[in-house]
Amino acid sequence: MAKLTVEDLPLEGKKVLMRVDFNVPIKDGVVGDDNRIVAALPTIKYVIEHGGRAILFSHLGRIKKEEDKPGLSLRPVAERLSNLLNKPVTFVPVTEGKQLEDAINNMNNGDVLLVQNTRYEDVKDGEYVKRESGNDPELGKYWASLGDVFVNDAFGTAHRKHASNVGIATNMPGKAAAGYLMQKEIKFLGDAVDNPERPFVAILGGAKVSDKIGVIDHLLDKADKIIIGGGMAYTFYAAKGIKTGDSLVEKDKIDVAKQILDKAGDKIVLPIDNVVADKFDNDANTKVVEGDIDDGWMALDIGPKSIKEFENVLKDAKTVVWNGPMGVFEKPNFAKGTLEVGKFLGTLADATTIVGGGDSTAAVKQLGVAGKLTHISTGGGASLTYLEGKVLPGIAAISEK
Ligand SMILES: Nc1ncnc2c1ncn2[C@@H]1O[C@H](COP(=O)(O)OP(=O)(O)O)[C@@H](O)[C@H]1O
Ligand SMILES: O=C(OP(=O)(O)O)[C@H](O)COP(=O)(O)O
């Protein structure tokens, strides 16, 4: 069944509770990358242009003790949001009580209010009580009581079962809808995995196999090819009996990697050659080697033949999902593999190219190729959970049409 969307809700004159993911980097009280705020604007604008009173909830960082709170206030986000919307945003520095309720009651149609970081509720009187993160039933009920309808646009948080997403939604049956960003993320990631235009190629990289076993397992049944690069490739090397030197290898995952390779046949594509270094440092001595990696050397990027091979696999693809860099892209001397793969994806005019959050997004942005790709997910953990084929609690709690 299809989910209720923001367009299905009555908005005029309504108190519209909205869960957004404004978990953005903040340094010295100033928002850094505001992509997640920008991504939520279409839904916020739709709500206020239709006479709704937008009451926004988000978490920021993780709060385990009182001292964590001051540095994790959402005030700087309210300022950035106000600039982006070009209108005032009322910031309420608390998450419950009279100050919040009065501020909501004073709103006019079209006004925007941002509630303090929902994870302030995780610590009360110095105790780590996890009211938000533990989905305390009373908290979800209380927040739900503050509004008339609920819009969840926080895809980045959809893999969490917290009071401000699942709690509010379950207390507003028939009135909890998906925002535009949520719908867009579900459409791109959902279509890619369940209804892809073929050939469908997945590119997986990053540090650890252990983080991505669920994704590989799920995608083995769905994708036509799975390219594996980055640190995780070398556990697969070990599984194939190729020497790995000092490269990152998860010894306790070699057996799993063997099982995956047995099941995959020729579906999995591994690097042919690698840039190896004599230490984990941008200024290390480096060389390109094919196959075996000698002791004293560690693979920190894929080599030129691997790049060519990966491009060859990708050139006819109609759907590509990418999660995880091909090497230690933060160090310029080991960024080439990630950059070249990203650049090549940008040239695939007929393909839908999707990047799944986290470090991969940081990589495509840092390397300047983000604008050429079809969809950059706002969720790291959430997109991985989606690619594992698991139910995301935040999405499941949204009302059916
Ligand atoms: N060959 C490698 N050796 C060590 N670390 C690597 C290697 N390739 C990539 N990495 C590291 O993996 C990290 C990203 O991995 P991960 O968090 O799994 O990605 P994502 O967040 O995109 O899922 C980066 O910090 C990168 O430097
Ligand atoms: O930034 C987030 O996670 P992500 O970096 O995996 O995308 C989300 O806001 C979830 O935050 P959390 O992992 O503290 O629950």
Side-chain angles (χ1 to χ4, degrees):
M1 267 222 297
K3 295 286 181 188
L4 209 64
T5 79
V6 61
E7 294 183 7
D8 298 318
L9 293 176
L11 297 171
E12 175 79 30
K14 301 291 182 195
K15 294 175 197 160
V16 184
L17 307 175
M18 299 182 67
R19 181 49 159 106
V20 288
D21 188 329
F22 286 168
N23 185 26
V24 294
I26 294 183
K27 208 174 161 215
D28 302 326
V30 180
V31 173
D33 182 350
D34 63 3
N35 180 43
R36 279 181 165 170
I37 307 176
V38 172
L41 293 177
T43 311
I44 298 170
K45 284 184 179 161
Y46 181 85
V47 166
I48 58 180
E49 279 162 11
H50 287 79
R53 304 167 182 199
I55 302 155
L56 308 180
F57 292 83
S58 175
H59 73 284
L60 174 66
R62 293 180 184 171
I63 295 184
K64 298 206 165 145
K65 46 188 189 317
E66 278 310 327
E67 302 81 72
D68 294 336
K69 289 185 180 177
L72 291 172
S73 166
L74 276 175
R75 191 182 290 279
V77 172
E79 284 163 19
R80 179 63 60 90
L81 178 62
S82 171
N83 288 339
L84 289 166
L85 285 172
N86 202 17
K87 66 180 284 155
V89 170
T90 303
F91 176 66
V92 181
V94 294
T95 44
E96 60 182 344
K98 189 166 182 312
Q99 189 181 356
L100 174 61
E101 292 152 25
D102 286 349
I104 291 174
N105 288 331
N106 282 332
M107 290 174 83
N108 293 312
N109 294 0
D111 282 355
V112 180
L113 178 153
L114 177 64
V115 180
Q116 181 58 284
N117 184 354
T118 52
R119 289 187 184 169
Y120 270 46
E121 289 288 338
D122 281 347
V123 175
K124 288 278 167 189
D125 302 322
E127 290 272 318
Y128 183 44
V129 291
K130 292 178 69 170
R131 289 190 84 211
E132 154 73 328
S133 302
N135 190 18
D136 180 325
E138 290 306 315
L139 185 58
K141 200 165 149 193
Y142 168 70
W143 279 334
S145 76
L146 300 174
D148 301 310
V149 292
F150 179 54
V151 179
N152 188 348
D153 215 19
F155 177 77
T157 320
H159 57 315
R160 306 290 182 214
K161 188 180 173 182
H162 292 178
S164 61
N165 60 345
V166 174
I168 298 180
T170 47
N171 279 288
M172 299 189 104
K175 298 178 194 166
Y180 291 116
L181 175 61
M182 187 69 99
Q183 292 172 58
K184 186 171 153 198
E185 295 272 12
I186 295 172
K187 182 185 157 16
F188 276 109
L189 287 161
D191 280 358
V193 176
D194 294 319
N195 193 17
E197 224 191 307
R198 295 187 183 276
F200 167 28
V201 181
I203 311 172
L204 300 176
K208 290 188 183 163
V209 184
S210 45
D211 291 343
K212 312 242 162 117
I213 288 170
V215 177
I216 300 172
D217 253 348
H218 188 61
L219 291 185
L220 268 184
D221 292 332
K222 308 270 182 182
D224 298 296
K225 291 276 182 195
I226 301 180
I227 291 173
I228 294 183
M232 63 189 275
Y234 310 107
T235 301
F236 285 92
Y237 266 31
K240 290 181 74 144
I242 301 171
K243 281 171 64 183
T244 52
D246 299 343
S247 307
L248 197 64
V249 172
E250 285 176 90
K251 291 208 170 66
D252 59 337
K253 292 292 175 289
I254 294 174
D255 280 344
V256 183
K258 269 189 196 143
Q259 288 161 18
I260 290 172
L261 288 171
D262 284 346
K263 189 173 161 198
D266 62 358
K267 228 177 217 188
I268 287 188
V269 183
L270 291 168
I272 300 169
D273 61 348
N274 297 284
V275 179
V276 300
D278 59 357
K279 56 182 174 193
F280 193 80
D281 192 313
N282 194 49
D283 300 323
N285 293 308
T286 62
K287 59 184 179 180
V288 174
V289 295
E290 255 181 80
D292 286 333
I293 298 159
D294 289 333
D295 289 345
W297 295 88
M298 61 184 81
L300 296 183
D301 195 8
I302 56 172
K305 285 191 181 164
S306 306
I307 294 172
K308 276 271 156 298
E309 168 69 3
F310 291 1
E311 288 177 355
N312 202 32
V313 173
L314 287 164
K315 70 177 190 309
D316 300 319
K318 288 285 183 291
T319 306
V320 182
V321 170
W322 183 14
N323 186 291
M326 298 290 98
V328 184
F329 74 98
E330 302 94 333
K331 301 187 193 297
N333 286 339
F334 308 106
K336 191 171 165 54
T338 305
L339 175 62
E340 292 300 327
V341 168
K343 277 206 308 212
F344 191 76
L345 289 187
T347 67
L348 297 177
D350 294 337
T352 303
T353 48
I354 299 162
V355 178
D359 277 309
S360 337
T361 300
V364 293
K365 283 190 176 164
Q366 184 183 315
L367 304 170
V369 293
K372 295 263 168 52
L373 308 177
T374 316
H375 179 66
I376 314 271
S377 176
T378 54
S383 63
L384 271 183
T385 309
Y386 209 107
L387 295 177
E388 286 174 17
K390 289 190 186 152
V391 171
L392 282 76
I395 297 175
I398 295 170
S399 314
E400 306 291 342
K401 274 209 198 228

